[in-house]
Amino acid sequence: MIKTIDLVKVFRTEEVETTALNKVNLNVEKGEFVAVMGPSGCGKSTLLNIVGLLDNPTDGKYYFNGEEVSKYKERQRTNLRKGNIGFVFQSFNLIDELTVYENVELPLLYMRVSAAERRRKVTAVLERMKISHRKKHFPQQLSGGQQQRVAISRAVVTRPMLILADEPTGNLDSANGEEVMSLLAELNNEGTTIVMVTHSPSDADKAHRIIQLFDGHIVTENIRQIL
C-alpha cells in the first residue's frame, strides 16, 4: 500500500537548510500496523505528513496503493486523501464551533454523501465508539478521552483503507490512552492499515512492526509477534 524510494525532505529558509528525511525507504503492506519511533526532530511527523499526502517530498518517489504520487499537486493530493486516509492527531484537531455529530459528519460532507447516508454512517460510528450520548455536545464540553474517540470516529467514518495516527495518546492519561490504543488495534484487526508515530513503548507494542528513525534515517526495524 505504501512504498517510498530514497525519500528526501529538505526545509529551507534564507539562512538554514534542514534535511528532515534522508533517503528513507519504507514499505507498508495492506493490513499492517506500523509504529514509527525516534527522538523529537528525527523526521517522524514529516514522514507521516508525506505518507498522508499533506506534503510532497523534495526528492525520491512515493507510491500510494500502487500510484506514484510524489509530484502530485495539492488538489490531486486532496482528492486522493478523500475516503482513503483518516487522520488522528495528538491535539484532536476538532472544530470547537461544531458539535460532536457535526465534527464526525464533516468528511462525508466533503465527499458529497447524501444526507440520509451521512446520518446512517455517523450514527453507526458514534455508537461503535461509545460516544453517541455526547453527539450534541461541543468538543470543549468533553474530556480528553472523549475528544479522541470523536477524532477517531471522524477518521473512520468514511471507512478509509489507511489511518495515520500522530501521538494519538499524547494528551491522555493512561486509562484513556489504553482505550484509544484498543480501538486502533480493533480497527486494524478488521483490516485497516495503521501507521502511528509515537514516543510510547507500550503504544508501539500494539504494532506488528516498529521502525526507529534517527536524523532522518531508518536505523532499525523490529518485526513483532502479536499474540
Side-chain angles (χ1 to χ4, degrees):
M1 176 180 287
I2 293 167
K3 181 178 182 179
T4 72
I5 301 174
D6 290 340
L7 205 68
V8 174
K9 183 63 179 180
V10 178
F11 295 100
R12 295 183 177 92
T13 66
E14 290 183 2
E15 295 85 16
V16 180
E17 180 175 292
T18 303
T19 301
L21 298 174
N22 192 355
K23 294 187 179 300
V24 170
N25 294 288
L26 172 68
N27 284 282
V28 178
E29 299 295 333
K30 184 178 180 181
E32 272 199 283
F33 189 162
V34 176
V36 181
M37 302 187 74
S40 296
C42 71
K44 301 187 302 296
S45 292
T46 300
L47 178 60
L48 210 65
N49 285 341
I50 292 174
V51 169
L53 300 169
L54 297 173
D55 198 4
N56 279 341
T58 305
D59 200 3
K61 294 184 181 298
Y62 171 34
Y63 293 86
F64 177 73
N65 210 27
E67 190 173 348
E68 213 283 287
V69 299
S70 57
K71 305 300 182 187
Y72 270 23
K73 304 296 183 184
E74 184 174 354
R75 178 173 292 185
Q76 292 174 295
R77 297 200 309 268
T78 299
N79 288 336
L80 188 55
R81 282 198 307 269
K82 288 179 183 177
N84 288 317
I85 304 176
F87 296 89
V88 179
F89 300 98
Q90 176 179 348
S91 56
F92 316 134
N93 282 15
L94 300 175
I95 299 174
D96 290 339
E97 294 77 19
L98 299 181
T99 65
V100 165
Y101 185 98
E102 290 166 340
N103 266 281
V104 176
E105 182 185 36
L106 202 56
L108 300 173
L109 287 169
Y110 291 145
M111 293 177 66
R112 300 182 179 180
V113 175
S114 71
E117 186 69 1
R118 293 199 308 271
R119 192 178 310 112
R120 186 188 70 77
K121 288 177 177 291
V122 174
T123 299
V125 77
L126 289 178
E127 287 177 356
R128 177 180 182 178
M129 297 297 167
K130 300 177 182 177
I131 198 70
S132 59
H133 62 296
R134 297 285 193 178
K135 66 182 180 181
K136 294 182 180 179
H137 288 70
F138 292 91
Q140 296 307 314
Q141 296 174 301
L142 307 179
S143 69
Q146 289 171 333
Q147 289 188 59
Q148 194 60 298
R149 287 211 300 276
V150 175
I152 293 173
S153 299
R154 182 184 58 188
V156 303
V157 72
T158 62
R159 299 187 66 84
M161 63 177 71
L162 172 66
I163 290 178
L164 301 177
D166 195 352
E167 299 284 0
T169 67
N171 284 336
L172 304 178
D173 59 34
S174 57
N176 280 308
E178 183 64 30
E179 185 175 333
V180 164
M181 289 307 304
S182 294
L183 287 171
L184 291 176
E186 182 181 327
L187 290 166
N188 177 247
N189 287 336
E190 294 171 2
T192 305
T193 306
I194 298 177
V195 178
M196 174 183 68
V197 161
T198 183
H199 280 103
S200 167
S202 62
D203 287 358
D205 279 343
K206 300 289 194 302
H208 305 147
R209 184 158 50 110
I210 301 173
I211 293 170
Q212 292 281 348
L213 274 182
F214 187 76
D215 284 350
H217 297 274
I218 292 177
V219 290
T220 63
E221 289 192 43
N222 177 28
I223 299 173
R224 304 183 59 258
Q225 181 67 43
I226 303 298
L227 302 177

